[in-house]
Amino acid sequence: MEQRLQKIIAEMGLASRRKAEELIIEGRVTVNGRVAVIGMKADMLKDHVKVDGKLLFRPEKKVYFVFNKPGA
């Protein structure tokens, strides 16, 4: 699913959405080897998104288990 680059960078925990916009404007973000522009979208399953030359990996989804221990 395609998402805006600002949201992807923010979800990765690298920066806030506003700071992510600054990174894009400064030319520090690339998608598939091309310099990103504001408003650009990417799909983390298909596209290679890099910030300062470092590839961003899609985080694994967390799984939570809830157990109920009976009182007796």
Side-chain angles (χ1 to χ4, degrees), residues 54-71:
K54 295 179 185 174
L55 183 63
L56 299 182
F57 292 99
R58 188 168 155 252
E60 297 290 325
K61 289 194 173 195
K62 294 182 180 178
V63 178
Y64 296 94
F65 295 96
V66 178
F67 296 97
N68 181 24
K69 183 176 178 182

Side-chain angles (χ1 to χ4, degrees), residues 8-9 12 14 44 47-51 54-58:
I8 292 171
I9 293 169
M12 294 291 182
L14 296 175
M44 288 301 292
D47 298 319
H48 296 281
V49 180
K50 292 183 181 181
V51 177
K54 295 179 185 174
L55 183 63
L56 299 182
F57 292 99
R58 188 168 155 252

Side-chain angles (χ1 to χ4, degrees), residues 7-20:
K7 186 172 181 181
I8 292 171
I9 293 169
E11 285 179 352
M12 294 291 182
L14 296 175
S16 66
R17 287 190 190 186
R18 299 283 182 210
K19 181 66 178 170

